[in-house]
Amino acid sequence: MGTSADELLRELTGSGVRPGDEVVVPSYGTAEAAEAVLLAGARPVFVDIDANTFCIDPAAVADALTPRTAAVIAVHTFGHPADMARLGELGRRHGLVVIEHGARPEPAAEVLRRQANAAYLNGKLRGVVTPWVAPGVQHTYQQYVVRVPGNGRPDRDAFARTLRSRGVVCHVPVQTPAHRTARFRRDMWLAETERAADECLALPVDAAMSRRELHRVVSACNALGGVLQAAA
């Protein structure tokens, strides 16, 4: 079950996380998980994400474990669930608490509508990398996040500005990974986290969108995507 930010702090302290402990968290996404770890008196240990799901990478978690590690926070990113099977196995093997964060209860009809809108975009968009979904899981598309091909952040930002000029509301889902903020700064390189921060863009997928609005998104993106793809 997912938790809110306040519940996350309570779950950390209730599960026995104490000052001096380490808690493994993803750097990509909001800083809520890392902030809760600090408030619990522990130390957040940042690890990389899976390139496809944008969720915490179980292999990176395994590499980061030390005798001080007490817990792992598995953040479900943009509506795609983290790999709880592999993370749960790590938790059992090493005696760690695995806490889920980022899932939220929503009306089923709203989720189904967003999934239908995402399926339409997946089938029509060209020149951007559409969201990947792991086999056997449900993506709720709290955000519809694509990768923009080209030269990283400059091309992604130019792509976003042009979409906005054409009436398409879009935003960069993660401007700065947590480990690069003043609050949590670490001298480390997380390759997939850095790449996602440079390439990703969230497109509209709201449940209330009409087919005409979705088509406008597709038309604007495909025109720009083709140009970028040819230049890459």
Side-chain angles (χ1 to χ4, degrees):
M1 170 179 286
T3 63
S4 70
D6 290 341
E7 290 170 338
L8 179 58
L9 172 59
R10 290 195 293 271
E11 191 161 349
L12 282 169
T13 56
S15 65
V17 173
R18 297 292 180 262
D21 288 342
E22 295 177 349
V23 179
V24 181
V25 300
S27 180
Y28 188 73
T30 70
E32 284 181 351
E35 186 66 36
V37 172
L38 280 187
L39 292 174
R43 178 177 180 270
V45 175
F46 296 106
V47 298
D48 214 348
I49 55 170
D50 178 271
N52 294 316
T53 68
F54 304 113
C55 297
I56 193 168
D57 182 359
V61 173
D63 289 343
L65 299 181
T66 75
R68 288 186 171 185
T69 308
V72 177
I73 298 179
V75 179
H76 303 309
T77 309
F78 308 141
H80 192 293
D83 190 341
M84 297 309 300
R86 291 175 64 193
L87 292 170
E89 175 59 29
L90 276 175
R92 289 187 291 273
R93 189 185 316 151
H94 297 279
L96 308 174
V97 177
V98 180
I99 299 172
E100 297 182 60
H101 181 60
R104 63 173 187 257
E106 297 181 278
E110 183 173 326
V111 172
L112 288 172
R113 182 62 181 169
R114 285 205 307 266
Q115 289 173 333
N117 290 348
Y120 178 84
L121 293 175
N122 289 343
K124 300 289 186 180
L125 286 171
R126 302 290 181 268
V128 296
V129 181
T130 55
W132 184 84
V133 183
V137 305
Q138 292 288 322
H139 198 318
T140 62
Y141 296 100
Q142 292 171 5
Q143 296 191 65
Y144 183 89
V145 176
V146 301
R147 289 182 185 268
V148 178
N151 188 31
R153 192 174 294 253
D155 282 350
R156 188 273 314 279
D157 290 350
F159 189 98
R161 285 194 299 271
T162 306
L163 285 185
R164 293 185 192 114
S165 74
R166 299 182 179 189
V168 175
V169 177
C170 59
H171 68 276
V172 175
V174 179
Q175 289 279 0
T176 307
H179 76 282
R180 295 203 171 280
T181 64
R183 173 76 161 155
F184 300 105
R185 188 170 299 280
R186 302 282 194 277
D187 184 15
M188 63 192 310
W189 178 261
L190 302 175
E192 293 302 336
T193 295
E194 310 285 355
R195 189 164 74 93
D198 285 349
E199 295 180 351
C200 286
L201 187 67
L203 302 177
V205 74
D206 297 344
M209 289 180 71
S210 67
R211 185 54 57 91
R212 182 175 183 178
E213 290 170 323
L214 290 168
H215 180 70
R216 182 189 306 158
V217 173
V218 169
S219 295
C221 287
N222 285 359
L224 293 173
V227 171
L228 285 174
Q229 201 171 44

